[in-house]
Amino acid sequence: MTKPEVLFSEEEIRARIKALGAEIGSTYEGRELAVVGLMKSCLVFMADLIRAIPLELSCHTLRVNSARGEGKGQGRTEIMYSATIPYEGRDILLLDDIVDTGITLNFLLDHIREKKPRSLKVCALINKPGERKIDVHPDWSAFTLDQAPVDRFLVGYGLDHAESHRGLPYIGTIPRPAAPAEGRKIRIAPDDRA
């Protein structure tokens, strides 16, 4: 297994989470916040951030499946798991791991807005504005990658590749795995020696 190259160290993450917690706490001062995190990749981020926000808050999780058509940007996004979340009339903070194309985030914002929250804001662990296909933006992000590492995959601090590397205390990169090659078709001719 390839050892990831460190992109954001444990110390950098800790400092950003502390700063985000203070900013979010200031924004919602005197109000109770409902934090909604996307499973599984933002669970570590969520656990650290809610401890850094100096407010009364409740925690909820969603699981989303995004299926994209190859190279066409088409596909569907659907909520796979959601406990009953009391959105109506509440201040909602949606936590996302990586905001890149914006397709999934846009879907979630539309879904939550239908439930009539008092307010709705987004905090992302990683914001990749250069990959946006839909004009949506997080209100806060721990880190912004204007130029995402070429041919590298982000892992660690809850982010994974094939369920590996989630437990790393830092965010790192590994080489982007090659797409699986199509199997070769081998034609076996009948044995003419009979």
Side-chain angles (χ1 to χ4, degrees):
M1 184 180 297
T2 305
K3 183 175 166 78
E5 291 179 16
V6 177
L7 182 62
F8 299 111
S9 71
E10 187 174 0
E11 294 74 25
E12 289 174 294
I13 294 169
R14 190 179 304 118
R16 279 300 294 144
I17 297 299
K18 183 178 179 182
L20 283 172
E23 288 176 42
I24 292 166
S26 175
T27 299
Y28 292 101
E29 189 173 355
R31 290 147 61 181
E32 185 179 330
L33 187 60
V35 179
V36 179
L38 295 184
M39 295 179 11
K40 305 177 204 176
S41 294
C42 85
L43 291 179
V44 176
F45 175 46
M46 182 177 184
D48 286 348
L49 185 60
I50 62 172
R51 290 180 290 179
I53 299 172
L55 299 173
E56 282 297 317
L57 50 79
S58 60
C59 298
H60 312 274
T61 55
L62 280 176
R63 184 157 188 177
V64 176
N65 182 35
S66 300
R68 302 277 173 254
E70 286 186 32
K72 299 171 188 164
Q74 298 175 344
R76 70 180 192 283
T77 301
E78 59 186 343
I79 294 175
M80 303 298 293
Y81 164 82
S82 172
T84 303
I85 300 173
Y87 292 114
E88 189 172 348
R90 308 216 31 217
D91 293 307
I92 307 295
L93 177 64
L94 177 64
L95 302 184
D96 200 347
D97 54 348
I98 300 174
V99 177
D100 45 26
T101 64
I103 293 169
T104 300
L105 179 57
N106 188 61
F107 169 84
L108 287 169
L109 291 173
D110 286 348
H111 169 77
I112 295 171
R113 284 183 188 121
E114 287 176 3
K115 312 292 185 192
K116 300 182 175 33
R118 175 179 169 181
S119 69
L120 173 58
K121 292 190 181 294
V122 176
C123 183
L125 176 59
I126 305 280
N127 183 21
K128 295 178 167 182
E131 297 184 20
R132 208 74 85 238
K133 293 183 178 176
I134 294 180
D135 189 27
V136 293
H137 305 277
D139 298 278
W140 296 279
S141 55
F143 302 101
T144 297
L145 293 176
D146 291 314
Q147 291 278 173
V150 177
D151 295 327
R152 307 288 292 179
F153 201 87
L154 296 173
V155 294
Y157 197 67
L159 306 175
D160 76 300
H161 174 262
E163 296 298 329
S164 294
H165 306 296
R166 277 195 203 278
L168 295 173
Y170 59 87
I171 297 171
T173 65
I174 58 172
R176 184 173 291 280
E182 287 189 35
R184 290 190 311 170
K185 293 180 181 172
I186 301 173
R187 184 172 182 268
I188 300 176
D191 190 344
D192 293 331
R193 292 175 293 168

